Amino acid sequence: MASSSRKLLSPLANTLKQGLRGGSFRGYTAIASSAEQTVSNCGDEERRHPDDEIEKIRRQFDAAKRSFLKIPEALKGMPKMDPKGIYVNKNLILKDVQVYGFDYDYTLAHYSTDLQSLIYDLATEYMVNEFRYPDVCATLKYDPTFPIRGLYYDKKNGCLLKLDFFGSIESDGCYFGRRKLSRKEIDKIYGTRHIGREQARGLAGLMDLFCFSEACLLADLVQLFVDAKLEFDASYIYQDVRLAIQHVHRSGLVHRGILSDPHKYLVKNRQVLQFLRMLREKGKKLFLLTNSPYYFVDGGMHFMLEDSLGYNDSWRELFDVVIAKANKPDFYTSDHPFRCYDTEKDNLAFTKVDAFLPDKVYYHGCLKHFLQITRWNGPEVIYFGDHLFSDLRGPSKAGWRTAAIIHELESEICIQNTDRYRSEQAKFHILQELLGKLHATIADSQRSNAYQLLLDDLNVERLRARQTMKEMFNKSFGATFLTDTGQESAFAYHIHQYADAYTSKPENFLLYPPEAWLHVPFDIKIMPHHVKVPASLFKNE
């Protein structure tokens, strides 16, 4: 997220401001246009004495606090978003889609939270045994309450960051180890909260669900070195953690661990089979494209589908093409040939692959050769995946349609639908407007003790509402899609950039007709699953 992002999005930002003036429920920032309706009628343009203005805003603040008691009643008429809905960034006509492609991990396969602990434990064991990290590292445990998806690790400074839509550090979303840094500490390290082009090159994005354990381990190791008062280079920690996580996956340690106890790690889901079969019955072509090895996918699919009603056939018969160990994202840019994999002998054939045969499995390959063989081009293809960079960026640039699978979406929408969250959101918007009015009407030279008292009171109430909203999602970093101030996060930016549609699970498509036209809502600003509570709903007395 470099400074160029702000430049790129400036026309969009102007559109957002215009949309806010239109009074739409969905918005990017607090509803500025509703200030006049919410707190008072400000048509009086006469120049007032500063004390009069302060007293007027104080009365509006007191009235706003009384109106907070009525917010739950006012919210009953607000629309609620569907936790299992499909949300669209670009219009998608399903009847025109003839080919459905799928990633495996966290797309077709659903995992329990125990998987993060497994990856974390295997990685720390490897770092102690191979990289000679202190033995105490083996006693560290994964903390599921700490990380969220979409964070960035600063390889130079060792900080774990949450960025907003425009690439600025969230003021309460910067951790050094497990300690949250203050705004003064952030300014001291970075000079500004906005991450520039050069600084962005030193950030590593943690964008998929496998990165939960990685983010937690990075923070825990930094904290361990800090507590031990040992000097360290933050880039070395990142390099070692990355190598350990890669080893856990590439060596098959995590794959064997999952298959040794599938009931603990894998979640059975009959709806996946129902969705795939529905697509086959509608005459759609299906392919599987995954980085995982075949034996792991085969074991997982058999476990997940073995109890499905009427399941007698091989899961491979559901797919026209099965590609494993694809090495995404290099798959989309390389020139690697496909190899036919012998599932019985566990080896690769030497014959050239110029056609995909039924009931065969293929390894490696590249997008260029895939398109040459299948002739599946452009918008007739949609690909489902959970990693915005490894899975979706390549297909998006190749002209395919893309669907991001974001498991957290379901729970976050459920939270956003609650009266408690919406009440706090409305409070935050009202308080934000009053603060803006206070700053706009009182000159620096006219700021009195009464001004400072009111400013402090407003800031305390706003911070309380902001913190309450954050902790409803995650105490450390808040919501995946939103910053504490209600703006979209950098993770939301990447979804907007690379996903035509997004949903919590592929089988949510069963809730829509296969010929449906999924369109962008007319009042959309950034993320279509966000409904912002306008302060104009609440009239002060």
Side-chain angles (χ1 to χ4, degrees):
M1 291 291 296
S3 57
S4 59
S5 301
R6 186 183 299 275
K7 190 178 202 178
L8 192 68
L9 289 168
S10 57
L12 181 58
N14 291 332
T15 303
L16 296 176
K17 292 177 182 176
Q18 294 170 6
L20 291 174
R21 295 190 189 102
S24 167
F25 278 2
R26 294 195 179 98
Y28 178 57
T29 56
I31 311 295
S33 62
S34 61
E36 310 302 327
Q37 302 170 4
T38 305
V39 294
S40 76
N41 182 3
C42 294
D44 183 7
E45 297 180 359
E46 296 180 2
R47 189 175 296 274
R48 295 171 179 262
H49 189 276
D51 289 343
D52 293 338
E53 288 294 335
I54 293 170
E55 180 58 30
K56 177 183 174 183
I57 297 173
R58 168 66 74 178
R59 290 196 303 270
Q60 293 166 2
F61 177 37
D62 292 338
K65 287 191 288 187
R66 292 194 299 271
S67 75
F68 292 162
L69 301 175
K70 300 180 180 180
I71 287 176
E73 182 66 27
L75 287 172
K76 290 181 179 178
M78 285 284 295
K80 293 190 175 182
M81 306 308 288
D82 183 3
K84 297 182 182 295
I86 299 171
Y87 296 94
V88 186
N89 294 320
K90 300 173 187 174
N91 291 345
L92 180 61
I93 303 175
L94 292 181
K95 71 176 182 179
D96 293 341
V97 178
Q98 302 303 317
V99 183
Y100 284 73
F102 299 92
D103 183 33
Y104 175 71
D105 293 299
Y106 284 112
T107 301
L108 292 180
H110 305 327
Y111 295 101
S112 71
T113 55
D114 290 321
L115 177 58
Q116 301 299 333
S117 295
L118 175 65
I119 296 172
Y120 186 100
D121 292 344
L122 291 172
T124 52
E125 181 182 351
Y126 184 78
M127 295 182 74
V128 170
N129 294 337
E130 298 297 325
F131 299 153
R132 298 297 185 262
Y133 271 64
D135 290 341
V136 69
C137 292
T139 66
L140 297 173
K141 295 297 178 185
Y142 174 70
D143 179 4
T145 67
F146 177 68
I148 62 171
R149 184 174 9 186
L151 300 176
Y152 291 82
Y153 179 74
D154 182 347
K155 291 180 281 188
K156 176 183 177 182
N157 297 302
C159 296
L160 205 57
L161 311 173
K162 181 181 179 184
L163 304 182
D164 69 13
F165 197 87
F166 294 104
S168 294
I169 302 170
E170 185 175 10
S171 56
D172 286 335
C174 180
Y175 279 75
F176 184 66
R178 298 298 292 271
R179 184 176 69 86
K180 183 172 71 174
L181 300 185
S182 67
R183 294 190 182 192
K184 288 185 179 180
E185 289 174 312
I186 294 173
D187 290 340
K188 183 177 180 180
I189 295 172
Y190 295 99
T192 173
R193 283 177 52 207
H194 183 71
I195 296 294
R197 188 187 301 265
E198 289 301 319
Q199 290 173 316
R201 292 194 179 100
L203 301 185
L206 305 172
M207 293 293 155
D208 68 351
L209 286 172
F210 284 126
C211 288
F212 277 47
S213 48
E214 184 175 354
C216 191
L217 183 53
L218 285 166
D220 288 346
L221 288 175
V222 169
Q223 190 62 53
L224 186 147
F225 277 92
V226 169
D227 291 342
K229 295 181 171 55
L230 296 174
E231 291 188 6
F232 65 95
D233 188 315
S235 64
Y236 293 161
I237 289 182
Y238 174 76
Q239 181 181 7
D240 291 344
V241 168
R242 192 71 190 137
L243 288 172
I245 295 287
Q246 287 176 348
H247 172 78
V248 165
H249 288 283
R250 293 175 179 174
S251 66
L253 282 172
V254 70
H255 298 143
R256 291 191 292 273
I258 292 170
L259 294 181
S260 68
D261 193 358
H263 290 277
K264 181 177 181 179
Y265 300 111
L266 278 165
V267 178
K268 292 193 175 185
N269 187 357
R270 294 182 180 181
Q271 287 187 312
V272 170
L273 177 60
Q274 185 181 348
F275 175 48
L276 298 176
R277 282 181 168 169
M278 182 273 289
L279 293 176
R280 297 291 292 184
E281 291 169 0
K282 294 293 182 179
K284 308 296 185 180
K285 300 291 186 181
L286 275 67
F287 68 93
L288 180 67
L289 178 66
T290 175
N291 285 351
S292 293
Y294 171 75
Y295 80 88
F296 175 65
V297 177
D298 184 55
M301 291 293 282
H302 274 289
F303 172 78
M304 290 187 294
L305 304 180
E306 66 184 358
D307 298 332
S308 298
L309 204 59
Y311 177 72
N312 296 314
D313 303 322
S314 167
W315 63 267
R316 278 158 45 191
E317 295 179 3
L318 296 167
F319 297 93
D320 296 272
V321 184
V322 174
I323 302 168
K325 297 196 78 169
N327 197 30
K328 295 176 292 182
D330 289 347
F331 178 89
Y332 300 113
T333 56
S334 72
D335 201 29
H336 294 158
F338 285 100
R339 302 283 298 273
C340 188
Y341 174 71
D342 190 323
T343 59
E344 300 295 331
K345 298 179 180 179
D346 186 29
N347 61 23
L348 297 173
F350 292 97
T351 55
K352 181 179 179 181
V353 175
D354 52 16
F356 293 130
L357 302 177
D359 201 34
K360 295 292 184 181
V361 175
Y362 298 91
Y363 268 26
H364 312 315
C366 63
L367 179 62
K368 174 184 174 182
H369 295 159
F370 182 83
L371 297 179
Q372 290 173 349
I373 294 172
T374 62
R375 305 294 182 185
W376 295 339
N377 289 305
E380 71 170 344
V381 183
I382 187 170
Y383 185 70
F384 292 72
D386 73 293
H387 197 298
L388 301 176
F389 297 156
S390 294
D391 290 332
L392 302 183
R393 180 162 54 186
S396 177
K397 291 182 177 181
W400 287 357
R401 311 308 298 267
T402 54
I405 302 303
I406 313 296
H407 286 260
E408 307 94 307
L409 180 66
E410 191 168 328
S411 62
E412 294 206 358
I413 289 179
C414 287
I415 292 171
Q416 290 177 192
N417 282 341
T418 63
D419 285 353
R420 183 188 175 210
Y421 177 83
R422 294 183 173 199
S423 295
E424 297 300 326
Q425 190 185 60
K427 290 178 187 178
F428 182 85
H429 288 176
I430 292 170
L431 294 164
Q432 191 88 333
E433 290 169 0
L434 289 171
L435 278 164
K437 182 180 293 187
L438 183 63
H439 286 300
T441 56
I442 309 299
D444 289 350
S445 60
Q446 298 172 317
R447 294 180 177 178
S448 62
N449 186 53
Y451 166 89
Q452 191 61 47
L453 287 173
L454 178 56
L455 179 66
D456 292 343
D457 289 346
L458 286 168
N459 275 323
V460 166
E461 289 293 331
R462 183 181 64 159
L463 181 60
R464 183 179 293 124
R466 177 174 167 176
Q467 191 66 23
T468 300
M469 286 190 290
K470 173 181 177 178
E471 292 185 358
M472 292 177 72
F473 297 96
N474 176 285
K475 291 184 178 181
S476 301
F477 294 100
T480 304
F481 298 90
L482 292 171
T483 65
D484 294 350
T485 57
Q487 296 181 343
E488 270 75 9
S489 64
F491 181 73
Y493 168 81
H494 292 305
I495 294 176
H496 184 77
Q497 190 174 25
Y498 297 123
D500 294 331
Y502 62 98
T503 188
S504 61
K505 298 173 183 176
E507 55 268 26
N508 291 341
F509 275 73
L510 284 170
L511 303 174
Y512 296 75
E515 299 83 16
W517 176 30
L518 306 178
H519 60 87
V520 179
F522 74 94
D523 57 349
I524 183 63
K525 300 302 179 289
I526 300 294
M527 301 302 290
H529 76 277
H530 289 156
V531 173
K532 300 291 179 68
V533 180
S536 57
L537 284 183
F538 314 110
K539 304 291 185 180
N540 291 334
E541 298 176 353

